[in-house]
Amino acid sequence: GAVVSQHPSRVICKSGTSVKIECRSLDFQATTMFWYRQFPKQSLMLMATSNEGSKATYEQGVEKDKFLINHASLTLSTLTVTSAHPEDSSFYICSARDYGDEQFFGPGTRLTVL
Amino acid sequence: GQQLNQSPQSMFIQEGEDVSMNCTSSSIFNTWLWYKQEPGEGPVLLIALYKAGELTSNGRLTAQFGITRKDSFLNISASIPSDVGIYFCAGRRGGQFYFGTGTSLTVIP
C-alpha cells in the first residue's frame, strides 16, 4: 500500500511555456501533499505544502505565482510551473501524507527547460 | 525548511561491511523516518520510528529513535551492491517534516 504516482516522469519544454505535473495517491487519501525540488546530489528542498480544498502554503523564497499548486481532491495535487525558464530545470518530487505519521514519495518528474 | 544534521555525508565501503549513519537535531521530534533514494527516483520509506528508544529492524536495516528524541541512527549490516544510494533521515514535528542532508553510500564489490 501507500503508493504515490507522478506524471509525467520526464518533460522537456521550451522556455516560456507552462508545465503541469500531477501527483496522485493511489491507495489512500492524502490529507496533505508536499512538493519538493531537488538539485543533483543535494537534499530535498520543500517548496510548498498543500491541504485538500485550501490554498497551498509556500516556503520562503518560492514564488507562488510561478509555481501554482492545486489540491483538488484527497488523491490529487498538481504543480504548474508557469512561464518556465532554464533555471527551473530540476527534479520535482511530490509526497503525500495520510492520517498517520508517515510521508510517501512519488517517483519524481525530471523537468528540462530548453 | 529546516534541515537535520546528517552524517557522514558520504561513505565508500567494501561489500560485506556494516554501515552506520545518524541524524541529530537541536529540537525534539515525534517521529523519525529513514528513506533511501536511488538515482532518478523518489525516496522510498525504509523504516519509521514512533517512540523514544524504539529499535526497529527491516531485514538488514536497523534504526533507533534516540532516547532524547533529538537523534536517530540507521545501521545496515553486511552491505551488498544494491544498497548503493542516498539515505535520508526525516523528523516529524506537528504537521511538518524536516529532512537530513543525506548520506551517499557507495558499495565496492
Side-chain angles (χ1 to χ4, degrees), chain A residues 4 18 23 25 50 52 67 77 82 96 99 106:
Chain A
V4 177
S18 294
C23 178
S25 58
S50 74
E52 184 262 342
F67 299 99
S77 177
T82 61
Y99 293 99

Side-chain angles (χ1 to χ4, degrees), chain A residues 34 36 38 41-46 49 59 91 93 97 100-108 110, chain B residues 1 3 31 33 35 37 40-43 45 48 50 86 88 92 94-97 99-102:
Chain A
F34 304 87
Y36 294 85
Q38 188 178 34
K41 299 187 186 298
Q42 293 191 21
S43 186
L44 304 160
M45 184 184 79
L46 180 64
T49 302
E59 294 297 301
F91 193 52
I93 310 175
R97 180 188 174 193
D101 294 337
E102 298 167 8
Q103 190 178 160
F104 302 94
F105 286 88
R110 171 74 59 193
Chain B
Q3 288 193 326
T31 303
L33 307 167
Y35 293 87
Q37 185 179 27
E41 302 287 335
L45 181 65
Y50 303 102
I86 301 178
F88 291 102
R92 182 189 69 81
Q96 293 293 318
F97 291 82
F99 283 84
T101 47

Side-chain angles (χ1 to χ4, degrees), chain A residues 49-67:
Chain A
T49 302
S50 74
N51 294 294
E52 184 262 342
S54 61
K55 289 184 178 180
T57 302
Y58 290 81
E59 294 297 301
Q60 192 172 8
V62 178
E63 299 176 57
K64 61 180 180 181
D65 294 329
K66 171 77 172 175
F67 299 99

Side-chain angles (χ1 to χ4, degrees), chain A residues 6 32-33 41 66 102 112 114:
Chain A
Q6 245 180 279
T32 306
M33 287 187 168
K41 299 187 186 298
K66 171 77 172 175
E102 298 167 8
T112 303
L114 304 176

Side-chain angles (χ1 to χ4, degrees), chain A:
Chain A
V3 178
V4 177
S5 70
Q6 245 180 279
H7 177 79
S9 57
R10 291 178 181 270
V11 56
I12 300 173
C13 68
K14 291 183 179 180
S15 185
T17 61
S18 294
V19 175
K20 180 186 281 189
I21 303 170
E22 290 188 350
C23 178
R24 292 181 185 273
S25 58
L26 298 184
D27 51 1
F28 66 100
Q29 292 186 328
T31 56
T32 306
M33 287 187 168
F34 304 87
W35 286 96
Y36 294 85
R37 184 173 180 175
Q38 188 178 34
F39 293 102
K41 299 187 186 298
Q42 293 191 21
S43 186
L44 304 160
M45 184 184 79
L46 180 64
M47 299 174 65
T49 302
S50 74
N51 294 294
E52 184 262 342
S54 61
K55 289 184 178 180
T57 302
Y58 290 81
E59 294 297 301
Q60 192 172 8
V62 178
E63 299 176 57
K64 61 180 180 181
D65 294 329
K66 171 77 172 175
F67 299 99
L68 300 178
I69 292 172
N70 183 286
H71 194 156
S73 74
L74 284 172
T75 60
L76 173 64
S77 177
T78 60
L79 167 68
T80 301
V81 183
T82 61
S83 187
H85 291 284
E87 57 266 28
D88 298 325
S89 299
S90 192
F91 193 52
Y92 292 87
I93 310 175
C94 74
S95 69
R97 180 188 174 193
D98 61 7
Y99 293 99
D101 294 337
E102 298 167 8
Q103 190 178 160
F104 302 94
F105 286 88
T109 296
R110 171 74 59 193
L111 171 63
T112 303
V113 184
L114 304 176

